[in-house]
Amino acid sequence: MKLFSLIKKFHNDESGAVTVDWVVLTAAIVGLGVVVMNVVGGSIETVAGEMATKIEATTVGYGN
C-alpha cells in the first residue's frame, strides 16, 4: 500500500510544471523575434544605406 501512495504522490506532484511553461513561452518569444527580424531586416538595411548616402553627400562647414 505504501508503494501505491508514493506513486500517487509522484503523479500528483506539479512542481516543475511552471518551468516548462516558461521555457515554452520564452521559445515562442525568441521565435517571434527571429521571424520579425527576417521580415523587417531587408527594409532596415535599405533605409540605413539611403541614410548613409545622404549623410556622406552632406557638407558641413563655415559659410554654407
Side-chain angles (χ1 to χ4, degrees):
M1 204 61 179
K2 188 174 183 180
L3 179 62
F4 182 70
S5 65
L6 284 174
I7 292 173
K8 187 174 181 180
K9 182 179 177 184
F10 176 76
H11 178 40
N12 292 333
D13 187 15
E14 292 187 9
S15 63
V18 174
T19 303
V20 174
D21 292 342
W22 278 105
V23 167
V24 171
L25 182 61
T26 303
I29 291 171
V30 169
L32 183 61
V34 169
V35 168
V36 168
M37 283 307 299
N38 282 333
V39 170
V40 179
S43 298
I44 291 174
E45 289 180 18
T46 303
V47 170
E50 291 173 1
M51 285 176 29
T53 303
K54 288 181 182 181
I55 290 171
E56 289 172 355
T58 303
T59 57
V60 178
Y62 295 108
N64 290 339

